[in-house]
Each structure stands twice: as structure tokens, then as C-alpha cells.
């Protein structure tokens, strides 16, 4: 990232046609010729736009970024990218050019009735500053009224609606020296101050992959249908030859029903490109000023047969390093995980969006709040989410509230809602957990504290968030189809639970940053809200009001229960899921926590059963129905293959993909026990007939890998731990299981995986062990000899659902003590 500049360091102006943008305006072309003197040492080009820009030098494209400068809260933060262009210039006359499309700044954005044009700027404008370094001086070529403005083949362009490319209107050499631009007009300066210009971060949007068609067929209406086999964000590149004026339309779709594309998931987004041939032999079309969320494309007007060699789907997204991998012996589970990764790829296009296909694609706060821990395991999201969090803070500072989506596109304020607004606290907190970098919290601190205080002001006299609009457990499958926020869990229970969590995260953040007064204040708030939640929603024994799976999942994972209540709640949650035949019954708020609430309270089996259910609604139902991404609604596509016509049926929404974190942590067994993976616990819990799992994670300290494989009753475990990470490992299915401190390096263990004579292992919970008086009495006695100050009965009260090995790992046992106790448990 280049250093931040002050406004006075920019000599460039935003330039355009001088006219307000109209729908269907052609893309703006800008150009200027200039002379490079001998002795050029280096040259850098700084570029941004009101709209999206593609710069050129001497006819060659500068950089490989697309849809630059991405979407930020432009009024406060507009990214400028710096390119080293030394090698693109030569002495003599050179030409600087650029194509600027409407993008998000000027084009139509938002779902009806919000949909509007020109939300962030009235007209499309380019901003280019070329700095020529000659050793003794710097010459600057800066966009101003000496540039010429014209147009070319791009006759219309819109993020939602698509792009029209008419090759008959293209002058091939428009960006090279010598092009006759006398028919173009002088560019006009756009009045815009430069205080919002910030250096671009290092995860720009790029073309990341290309997909070949998996089939090309004709539809009943005679059009050509191409299936790329994968739902993506991007566009299609087509090579074609035909007569001048031949018009080919390409309409993008996520679903095909009875041989025809179903466009309903796009709502009002036209997602249609139109290519018009010049007739000059083989021509290549690639619409790069728009993007679509699609798996299929329907072509009309294609001359002759379409060959698979001539068409590609181009996958675009923010260019981030992949950091997390997961695989098991079960291909269906692997597919679920792949789908999560693809939904992340489809929704990290410059910012974290809800979906890539319909007339939203907005930076929804709640969606990324649910998904941030998973996202940050899979990819290095520091640039994209770091930038987005700056926008959250900037919007909040200027508007006084955290919008439901950032950048904000409305003029009317949003209500403060749990899960959505409190992304301002929980997303930085998730990033801190992943990267262990307190600067992330420091940068967001003002925003985090302001949001927490704003909710604190809304609490009633009992410290409950009991009033006001809430989205609740959004998309609970039991909510009426037409009202996704009317889930069965009281939305104010959800709100109060989330706020207790937020207050605790806030208290920990303030303490960590040494803000002691705030820490004391937020700590008190955390205690008050937790107590208030218990008083209002939890019975003394541990039932949670209204007995919804989400209510239980939140109470358990947000630590809102006392130990004995927690176990009762976990047991009750397990009963509820069993009663419903392991049907999923949680929405956005509860789903990320459901499986861990079960497995953390000794019900890993039940969690596996929920995970493994294949009928709707379930995690695997979409996979069985052929999904290649995560759906917005559990039953977005009905068992008969038709779309569930409820309106919330994007087939590419990552929120429910948060389940992947459970796959990584429980099946893979990799759990961070300190921020930034400075210490980890490795404790895979095989289940549901799995015989193999592999999880890998690239941390700042190096790559951690865990692999386990069960063959004919023999378990083989391999763990790789980098230097600087403290690791403890609990071997899965090991009758003599111990907690092992693992040194850096790669280690393997091979052992007989059968359970011991007692049927228990060191991973049995205290409660399970206490259920067998014979084992318990012997164990308690031996335990007393090891650590007299910690009577086992007392530990049972506080940690009944914890595995014995986990409890023992925290106590000062004598050398060999754990082996001795484990032998009592197993033999
Ligand atoms: C979006 C969701 C979002 C919700 C909340 C929807 O239209 O696609 O993912 O969180 O609205 O209002």
C-alpha cells in the first residue's frame, strides 16, 4: 500500500464529459498524449474514478485489476491505486488513456424502491496522475481539461444490468499515440475535493480463475444454454465471428428449471450483456464494467454453433491469499465445504456482500457478522474487511448509526438491530481472534464503543433490549415464507443475547487496549446484561424461554448460563433436535452456533446428526439438490427443482456457510485457544462414519495441519505445528487418551482406536464418568491424590460437560498422573 497523501499532493482532477450521467450512456473514454524526455528513471501512475476505471498506456492495459477502485463509502474513502509503469513508457510521444464505467458510484444501485442512479456522484469521472521521475526532477501528467473525452465500443454498462459492447464503434488504436481524437471533446473538470482519497489496499478485484463449460445445449425456446457447473461472480468471455451488426445477448442465471433458465433470483437485475459484431473476423468480447452471479448463461443470436473452446466463465473476486483448507472421507461433506468457499468467493467482490446476482449485492453487516470467523479462516481477509470496517466507522461517524449495509445508499436511518448493527463490534473482534493483532481493535475502537453505547441507551430498566425493530433470527425455516424476520425465537431474546455478547467483547477490547475506565464500564454492562438475560429468559434449572433451538444455541455459546444450567440447556437442545429428526430450525442468528452448542455440551453425536441430515431443511439438502454455493434460504430450491417463490432465494449467500467453522474445529479438530493461533488445541472428534479428515490453516506463525485416518481400527494422526505456537493435542478415539504437549514440527501417532473396557476414554465428559459410580469413585480417589486442592466432585459442578482430558490439562498433575488417571477411566 502506498503512503497516504494530503489533498495538496494531488494535481490531478476528476474529469468527465461535464454532463450528468444518463442511463445507457456509453462508457467514458479519456486520452492524452505527452512526451517522455530521455533519462526517465521511473514512472508511477495513480488512478481512481467516480465509477470504475481501466487505465491504458500506449495501448496496453495498466495493471490487471478489474472494477477499480471497488466499492467503498466514496464520500469518505475513495481508493487510489499506484502502478509502477516505468517499463510501459519510452522516450518520445506516449499516450495515456482510460475507460471509465458507471460502477457503483454513478450506476443504478439498490433494490426497488430504493434503486437509484447517481448515489455517490452525478457523473462518471476519471482521475489519473502520472509521475515521471528523472532523478533531478519530477514531471506530472495529471488529468485535467487538456485531456480529450470520447467513447468507444462500450455503449452501456451497469453493475446490475450488464454491458452492451458494439465492436463497430471501437477504434482499436484509441489509446496509442497518433490517434486522431479531434472528434472527441475536451474533458471537463468535475468539482470534487480530494480529502477522501486514500491509498488502495492490496486485495483488489481480479480475474481469479476461468471455467470451461460443462455442457452446451439448446433450450426449448431455441436459445443456447451454457452450464459452467459452478455458481460464481464474474462474467463470460466469448470468441465469435459473424456478420457486422450481428447481435448476441447473454443472460445470466443461477438455476435451470425444465431446460429453461429461471431468472427470478435476480429480481430486477437484468444481468444481460449484449455483444454486437463488427464483422472483422474472430472477435473477442469480455464485459468488465459489470458483474453477474451465475452458473448458466443463455445466449440468443449466436451465429452458428457455439464451441466449448470459444466461451469461458471468468471468476472475479478480491484477490486474497487462501489460508484454510478442509477435507474428509465424505464427498458430500467436502462438497458442502466447497460450496462455502465458493459463496465466499462470490461475495468478496471488493467488499463483503450478501449476494452477487440480484439487485442488492450490498455490504450487509449481519451477513458478514455471521460469517466473519469462517471467512477469516479460509482467506486472509485483513485488507477487504479492514477497509470495509473503516467504512463502517466512517458511515457511523457521519450518520450517527451503523447502517444495515455499508456503504449506505439510503437517506433514511436504520434501526439498531442485533447481529446487523453489532457487526461494528463483533467483526473486529473476530478478526482479532484470527490474527491476534490488537491494532485491528484499536482502529475500530471508536466505532465499537459508539455502537455499544448506542445500544446501551436502548436498554430498558431491566437491562434488556426489549423494544424496537429487530430482524431477529432472520430466515428461520419456521418463519412464514413472506416474512423472514418472524422466526419462532423472540427477536428481543435474540437481541438481548447478542448484546450480552457484544458488551463482553467490548469489555475485553477496552481492557486489552488499556482503556481502564471503559473496561470497567463495559464489564459492568456485560454482567448486567447477562444477569438480565438469565432473569428474563432462563429458568433456574436451565430451560431457555420458548425453547427454540436458536435460543438455546445463543444462551450456551454466548456463555449466558451458569454451569448446571448450561448442561440442562445442552441436554434440552439435544432433545429438541432429536425430536425434530435433526431438522435444522435456526436462521442467520442461531445457525453459526447450533452445532457447537451441541458439541460443547457433550452432544457431538446430535451435532453430527444435524449436520448429516439430507432432507430439507438441512445443511446438506442444497448439496443433495445440486447446489454449488450456499443458499440464502434453506429451501431456496424446492425438492421438485423449482424455485421457492418467496423472494429471499439467492442461491449464493454465505451466512449459513458459517457451519464450516464447526467442520474445521470439531471434525478437523483445530481450535485456537489464544488470539492469532498463538496456542491451539487439537482434538478431532471423528463421527458419522468418517474415516479421514484433514484441516490446514496458514497462520502468521506458519501452517498448522492436522490429519487423522482410521483404517481397520487403527487410528493414525499427524499434526504439524510451526515454531511459536503452543499446541496441546488430545488423540481421537484413543482409549488411553492423554493430553499431549506438541512441540513444533510434524508428529505422528498410530494406535488402536477401540474404546477401553469401560467404554469411556479421557475425552468422556465429567458427567458421563460420574454416571458410572464404579469409575467415578476410583477416579475421584486417585484424582485427590494428584491434586488435592481440586476435588473432582467440585469440578463436576462447574464443568460437567467438559471432557476429562480438557479439565485435567488445566491442572498441575504430577508427571505420569494423567496416564494413571486415564487408565482408571478406560480399564
Ligand atoms: C439480504 C440479507 C440481509 C437482509 C436483512 C436481505 O435482502 O439479502 O442477506 O441481511 O436483507 O435485511
Amino acid at each position: 500500500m502506498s503512503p497516504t497523501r494530503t489533498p495538496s499532493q494531488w494535481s490531478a482532477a476528476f474529469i468527465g464529459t461535464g454532463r450528468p450521467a444518463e442511463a445507457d450512456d456509453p462508457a467514458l473514454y479519456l486520452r492524452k498524449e505527452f512526451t517522455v524526455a530521455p533519462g526517465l528513471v521511473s514512472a508511477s501512475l495513480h488512478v481512481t474514478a467516480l465509477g470504475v476505471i481501466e487505465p491504458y498506456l500506449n495501448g496496453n492495459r495498466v495493471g490487471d485489476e478489474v472494477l477499480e477502485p471497488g466499492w467503498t463509502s466514496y464520500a469518505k474513502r475513495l481508493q487510489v491505486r499506484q502502478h509502477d509503469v516505468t517499463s510501459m513508457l519510452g522516450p518520445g510521444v506516449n499516450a495515456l488513456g482510460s475507460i471509465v464505467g458507471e460502477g457503483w458510484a454513478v450506476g443504478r444501485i439498490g433494490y426497488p424502491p430504493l434503486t437509484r442512479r447517481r448515489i455517490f456522484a452525478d457523473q462518471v469521472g476519471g482521475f489519473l496522475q502520472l509521475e515521471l521521475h528523472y532523478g533531478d526532477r519530477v514531471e506530472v501528467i495529471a488529468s485535467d481539461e487538456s485531456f480529450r473525452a470520447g467513447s468507444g465500443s462500450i455503449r452501456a454498462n451497469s453493475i446490475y444490468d450488464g454491458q452492451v459492447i458494439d465492436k463497430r464503434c471501437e477504434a482499436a488504436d484509441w489509446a496509442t499515440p497518433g490517434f486522431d481524437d479531434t472528434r472527441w471533446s475536451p474533458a471537463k473538470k468535475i468539482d470534487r475535493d480530494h480529502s477522501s482519497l486514500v491509498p488502495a489496499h492490496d486485495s483488489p478485484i481480479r480475474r481469479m480463475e476461468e471455467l470451461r463449460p460443462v455442457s452446451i445445449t439448446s433450450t426449448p425456446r431455441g436459445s443456447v444454454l451454457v452450464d459452467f457447473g459452478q455458481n460464481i461472480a464474474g462474467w463470460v468471455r466469448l470468441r465469435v465471428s459473424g456478420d457486422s451488426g450481428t447481435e448476441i445477448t447473454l443472460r445470466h442465471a443461477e438455476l435451470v428449471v425444465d431446460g429453461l433458465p429461471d431468472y427470478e433470483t435476480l429480481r430486477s437485475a437484468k444481468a444481460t450483456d449484449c455483444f454486437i459484431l463488427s464483422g472483422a473476423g474472430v472477435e473477442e468480447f469480455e464485459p468488465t464494467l459489470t458483474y453477474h452471479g451465475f452458473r448458466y448463461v443463455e445466449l440468443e443470436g449466436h451465429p452458428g454453433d457455439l464451441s466449448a473452446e470459444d466461451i469461458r466463465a471468468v471468476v472475479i473476486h478480491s484477490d486474497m491469499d487462501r489460508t484454510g483448507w478442509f477435507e474428509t472421507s465424505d464427498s458430500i461433506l467436502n462438497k458442502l465445504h466447497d460450496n462455502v468457499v465458493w459463496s465466499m468467493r462470490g461475495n468478496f467482490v471488493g467488499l463483503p456482500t450478501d449476494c452477487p446476482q440480484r439487485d442488492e449485492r450490498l455490504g450487509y453487516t449481519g451477513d458478514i457478522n455471521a460469517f466473519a470467523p469462517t471467512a477469516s479462516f479460509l482467506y486472509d481477509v485483513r485488507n477487504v474487511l479492514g477497509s470495509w470496517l473503516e467504512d463502517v466507522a466512517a458511515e457511523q461517524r457521519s450518520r450517527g448509526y451503523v447502517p444495515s449495509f455499508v456503504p449506505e445508499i439510503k437517506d433514511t436511518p436504520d434501526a439498531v438491530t442485533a447481529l446487523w448493527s453489532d457487526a461494528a463490534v463483533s467483526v473486529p473482534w473476530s478478526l482479532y481472534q484470527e490474527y491476534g493483532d490488537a491494532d485491528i481493535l484499536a482502529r475500530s475502537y471508536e466505532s465499537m464503543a459508539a455502537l455499544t453505547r448506542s445500544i446501551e441507551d436502548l436498554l430498558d430498566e431491566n437491562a434488556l433490549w426489549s423494544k424496537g425493530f429487530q430482524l431477529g433470527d432472520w430466515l428461520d425455516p419456521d418463519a412464514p415464507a413472506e416474512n423472514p424476520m418472524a422466526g419462532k425465537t423472540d427477536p428481543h431474546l435474540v437481541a438481548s443475547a447478542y448484546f450480552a455478547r457484544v458488551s463482553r467483547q467490548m469489555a475485553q477490547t477496552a481492557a486489552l487496549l488499556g482503556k481502564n475506565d471503559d473496561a470497567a464500564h463495559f464489564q459492568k454492562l456485560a454482567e448486567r446484561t447477562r444477569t438480565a438475560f438469565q432473569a428474563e429468559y432462563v429458568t433456574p434449572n436451565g430451560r431457555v424461554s420458548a425453547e427454540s433451538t436458536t435460543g438455546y444455541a445463543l444462551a450456551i455459546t454466548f456463555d449466558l448460563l451458569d454451569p448446571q444450567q448450561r448442561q440442562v440447556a445442552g441436554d434440552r437442545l439435544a432433545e429438541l433436535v432429536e425430536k425434530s429428526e435433526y431438522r435444522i430450525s435456526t436462521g442467520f442468528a442461531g445457525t453459526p452456533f447450533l452445532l457447537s452448542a451441541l458439541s460443547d455440551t457433550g452432544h457431538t453425536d446430535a451435532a453430527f446428526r444435524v449436520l448429516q441430515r439430507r432432507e430439507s431443511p438441512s445443511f446438506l439438502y442444497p448439496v443433495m439438490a445440486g447446489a454449488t454455493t450456499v443458499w440464502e434460504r434453506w429451501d431456496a430450491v424446492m425438492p421438485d427443482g423449482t424455485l421457492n417463490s418467496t423472494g429471499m432465494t439467492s442461491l449464493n449467500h454465505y451466512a449459513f456457510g458459517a457451519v464450516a467453522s464447526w467442520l474445521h474445529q470439531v471434525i478437523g479438530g483445530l481450535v485456537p485457544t489464544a488470539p492469532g493461533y498463538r496456542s491451539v488445541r487439537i482434538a478431532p472428534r471423528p463421527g458419522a462414519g468418517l474415516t479421514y479428515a484433514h484441516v490446514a490453516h496458514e497462520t502468521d506463525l506458519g501452517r498448522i495441519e492436522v490429519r487423522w485416518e482410521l483404517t481397520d481400527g487403527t487410528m493414525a494422526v499427524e499434526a504439524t505445528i510451526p515454531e511459536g505456537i503452543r499446541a496441546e493435542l488430545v488423540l481421537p478415539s484413543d482409549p488411553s487418551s492423554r493430553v499431549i504437549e506438541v512441540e513444533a514440527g510434524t508428529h505422528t501417532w498410530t494406535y488402536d482406536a477401540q474404546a477401553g473396557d469401560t467404554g469411556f476414554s479421557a475425552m468422556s465428559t465429567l458427567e458421563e464418568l460420574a454416571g458410572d459410580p464404579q469409575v467415578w469413585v476410583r477416579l475421584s480417589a486417585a484424582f485427590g491424590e494428584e491434586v488435592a486442592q481440586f476435588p473432582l466432585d467440585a469440578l463436576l459442578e462447574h464443568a460437567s460437560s467438559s471432557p476429562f482430558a480438557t479439565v485435567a490439562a488445566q491442572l498441575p498433575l504430577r508427571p505420569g498422573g494423567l496416564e494413571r488417571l486415564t487408565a482408571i477411566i478406560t480399564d
Side-chain angles (χ1 to χ4, degrees):
M1 208 158 96
S2 47
T4 306
R5 293 186 174 196
T6 58
S8 63
Q9 289 172 292
W10 296 116
S11 12
F14 286 92
I15 53 169
T17 60
R19 291 184 306 277
E22 295 301 336
D24 298 335
D25 271 356
L28 167 70
Y29 281 44
L30 296 168
R31 75 181 303 278
K32 177 184 169 101
E33 293 185 11
F34 59 95
T35 306
V36 173
L40 182 72
V41 178
S42 67
S44 57
L45 177 64
H46 305 257
V47 190
T48 191
L50 304 171
V52 287
I53 186 160
E54 302 187 342
Y56 287 82
L57 270 172
N58 298 321
N60 299 312
R61 177 78 153 79
V62 178
D64 56 1
E65 297 80 8
V66 294
L67 296 172
E68 283 271 270
W71 190 12
T72 51
S73 297
Y74 297 128
K76 295 116 193 164
R77 296 180 61 252
L78 177 52
Q79 299 190 84
V80 183
R81 184 157 316 274
Q82 178 175 349
H83 300 271
D84 180 347
V85 293
T86 317
S87 63
M88 301 182 78
L89 297 170
V93 180
N94 289 259
L96 172 61
S98 69
I99 299 176
V100 197
E102 297 191 333
W104 296 272
V106 180
R108 168 171 101 89
I109 297 296
Y111 51 90
L114 281 186
T115 195
R116 274 194 297 151
R117 297 175 47 75
R118 309 200 318 225
I119 296 176
F120 301 95
D122 264 347
Q123 55 170 306
V124 167
F127 178 101
L128 302 126
Q129 182 158 320
L130 174 63
E131 295 173 0
L132 306 172
H133 297 261
Y134 288 99
D136 57 343
R137 68 190 194 283
V138 180
E139 279 176 22
V140 178
I141 313 297
S143 46
D144 59 16
E145 295 191 342
S146 69
F147 276 58
R148 306 284 292 171
S151 66
S153 62
I154 304 169
R155 305 316 297 166
N157 66 97
S158 148
I159 294 283
Y160 289 170
D161 296 326
Q163 188 162 327
V164 178
I165 306 178
D166 185 344
K167 291 269 190 187
R168 294 171 303 183
C169 307
E170 187 78 341
D173 55 350
W174 69 271
T176 55
F179 172 73
D180 176 9
D181 59 19
T182 47
R183 301 231 308 262
W184 291 22
S185 317
K188 292 277 181 317
K189 265 193 192 173
I190 299 170
D191 188 24
R192 181 135 186 146
D193 89 77
H194 292 166
S195 58
S196 62
L197 300 183
V198 294
H201 64 68
D202 293 332
S203 294
I205 308 168
R206 290 199 167 98
R207 296 174 181 85
M208 300 304 299
E209 190 176 339
E210 289 187 13
L211 304 178
R212 294 172 60 87
V214 295
S215 74
I216 300 179
T217 50
S218 359
T219 67
R221 57 174 163 246
S223 53
V224 178
L225 183 67
V226 182
D227 177 3
F228 291 102
Q230 177 61 54
N231 196 334
I232 63 161
W235 51 68
V236 162
R237 194 175 62 229
L238 180 71
R239 234 178 16 209
V240 59
S241 53
D243 295 340
S244 174
T246 304
E247 219 173 292
I248 309 168
T249 56
L250 296 90
R251 203 165 169 204
H252 302 74
E254 294 188 285
L255 182 70
V256 165
V257 180
D258 294 334
L260 279 176
D262 186 322
Y263 295 113
E264 200 180 321
T265 71
L266 310 178
R267 296 197 188 151
S268 76
K270 294 195 184 79
T272 303
D273 297 324
C274 177
F275 301 157
I276 304 169
L277 276 57
S278 72
V282 178
E283 301 176 60
E284 190 167 279
F285 290 84
E286 185 174 358
T288 55
L289 305 181
T290 181
Y291 79 96
H292 313 293
F294 69 103
R295 167 177 168 170
Y296 305 92
V297 67
E298 180 183 21
L299 287 88
E300 279 178 290
H302 186 273
D305 287 342
L306 172 63
S307 145
E309 290 315 308
D310 290 334
I311 189 161
R312 292 287 177 272
V314 179
V315 178
I316 63 153
H317 55 81
S318 295
D319 189 355
M320 306 166 288
D321 288 338
R322 181 86 188 257
T323 54
W325 298 265
F326 173 80
E327 193 192 16
T328 69
S329 50
D330 180 350
S331 58
I332 311 279
L333 220 49
N334 296 345
K335 183 69 182 153
L336 171 67
H337 193 266
D338 271 4
N339 290 358
V340 175
V341 174
W342 273 108
S343 273
M344 175 163 178
R345 297 177 70 181
N347 283 294
F348 269 66
V349 180
L351 75 171
T353 59
D354 54 337
C355 56
Q357 75 295 82
R358 69 183 179 217
D359 50 11
E360 289 197 271
R361 315 186 200 181
L362 303 172
Y364 269 106
T365 47
D367 303 45
I368 191 59
N369 194 0
F371 191 63
T374 314
S376 57
F377 182 88
L378 295 171
Y379 281 90
D380 186 341
V381 293
R382 277 174 279 199
N383 291 330
V384 177
L385 292 188
S387 163
W388 181 77
L389 282 171
E390 286 190 43
D391 286 348
V392 170
E395 297 279 9
Q396 185 186 9
R397 213 174 299 123
S398 69
R399 294 172 192 270
Y401 64 93
V402 175
S404 300
F405 36 76
V406 172
E408 171 66 292
I409 59 169
K410 303 183 271 77
D411 298 325
T412 47
D414 282 321
V416 191
T417 51
L419 183 61
W420 277 261
S421 313
D422 54 46
V425 172
S426 299
V427 174
W429 183 253
S430 296
L431 297 186
Y432 170 65
Q433 295 306 315
E434 171 63 37
Y435 302 108
D437 174 5
D439 274 358
I440 295 172
L441 297 174
R443 283 195 292 272
S444 281
Y445 190 79
E446 182 198 327
S447 153
M448 296 169 79
L451 187 270
T452 309
R453 289 185 200 278
S454 73
I455 301 179
E456 187 180 353
D457 288 346
L458 298 174
L459 299 184
D460 67 16
E461 63 284 6
N462 297 319
L464 290 165
W465 192 358
S466 58
K467 289 194 190 63
F469 175 81
Q470 292 291 341
L471 291 159
D473 192 20
W474 179 256
L475 284 169
D476 170 346
D478 297 318
E482 67 293 349
N483 190 3
M485 67 184 94
K488 57 192 169 307
T489 310
D490 174 355
H492 291 103
L493 178 155
V494 172
S496 294
Y498 266 85
F499 188 55
R501 174 173 92 138
V502 160
S503 318
R504 187 178 317 124
Q505 292 172 342
M506 197 61 229
Q508 287 173 268
T509 301
L512 212 95
L513 298 177
K515 298 182 187 286
N516 298 339
D517 291 352
D518 278 7
H521 173 83
F522 291 125
Q523 181 55 36
K524 227 187 255 154
L525 181 65
E527 284 159 21
R528 267 175 63 221
T529 48
R530 182 176 187 273
T531 309
F533 182 90
Q534 282 194 1
E536 184 75 7
Y537 296 115
V538 187
T539 67
N541 283 341
R543 293 243 180 170
V544 178
S545 165
E547 299 230 285
S548 76
T549 42
T550 288
Y552 278 109
L554 300 185
I556 292 168
T557 46
F558 295 173
D559 191 22
L560 304 179
L561 306 172
D562 295 336
Q564 71 286 0
Q565 289 178 322
R566 185 169 195 267
Q567 193 54 51
V568 170
D571 295 348
R572 184 62 188 146
L573 176 60
E575 262 171 54
L576 287 179
V577 296
E578 187 189 337
K579 247 192 173 144
S580 69
E581 295 174 337
Y582 304 100
R583 173 184 178 275
I584 196 95
S585 59
T586 46
F588 274 29
T591 300
F593 307 106
L594 176 68
L595 297 192
S596 44
L598 287 166
S599 56
D600 290 353
T601 53
H603 299 291
T604 308
D605 269 7
F608 267 111
R609 283 172 177 244
V610 173
L611 175 67
Q612 295 245 305
R613 184 185 150 103
R614 295 178 176 195
E615 300 79 35
S616 173
S618 67
F619 289 109
L620 294 187
Y621 164 68
V623 177
M624 301 316 291
T628 61
T629 35
V630 178
W631 296 345
E632 176 177 27
R633 181 186 281 278
W634 294 110
D635 54 354
V637 179
M638 311 292 278
D640 67 1
T642 59
L643 194 73
N644 179 349
S645 290
T646 51
M648 310 306 297
T649 50
S650 141
L651 302 189
N652 198 355
H653 244 70
Y654 52 48
F656 291 148
V659 68
S661 290
W662 192 86
L663 308 185
H664 307 144
Q665 299 202 349
V666 177
I667 299 180
L670 175 56
V671 184
T673 48
Y677 288 78
R678 282 190 284 264
S679 73
V680 297
R681 187 162 155 267
I682 295 174
R685 280 181 264 174
L690 295 177
T691 56
Y692 165 79
H694 171 228
V695 65
H697 188 44
E698 200 68 57
T699 72
D700 282 352
L701 296 164
R703 189 184 180 94
I704 310 176
E705 276 194 71
V706 183
R707 199 186 298 272
W708 60 261
E709 182 154 20
L710 188 61
T711 326
D712 298 332
T714 300
M715 177 69 87
V717 177
E718 182 185 282
T720 301
I721 309 295
E723 286 295 342
I725 293 184
R726 266 194 314 116
E728 61 172 34
L729 170 128
V730 181
L731 291 171
S733 313
D734 175 19
S736 65
S737 58
R738 306 143 275 163
V739 177
I740 304 166
E741 293 285 328
V742 188
E743 306 270 298
T746 298
H747 310 272
T748 53
W749 296 263
T750 306
Y751 52 93
D752 187 353
Q754 259 95 60
D757 295 345
T758 58
F760 295 124
S761 77
M763 283 309 288
S764 302
T765 63
L766 296 191
E767 196 198 18
E768 287 162 350
L769 296 168
D772 184 328
Q774 274 200 334
V775 172
W776 190 251
V777 169
R778 287 176 55 217
L779 185 63
S780 302
F783 202 82
E785 289 166 21
E786 289 289 334
V787 274
Q789 66 275 40
F790 296 104
L792 201 52
D793 281 320
L795 292 173
L796 175 65
E797 272 189 38
H798 295 294
S800 61
S801 58
S802 303
F804 175 80
T806 309
V807 175
Q810 292 158 24
L811 300 175
L813 299 185
R814 295 177 301 183
L818 184 60
E819 284 71 16
R820 177 176 163 231
L821 297 172
T822 303
I824 295 173
I825 291 173
T826 56
D827 299 340

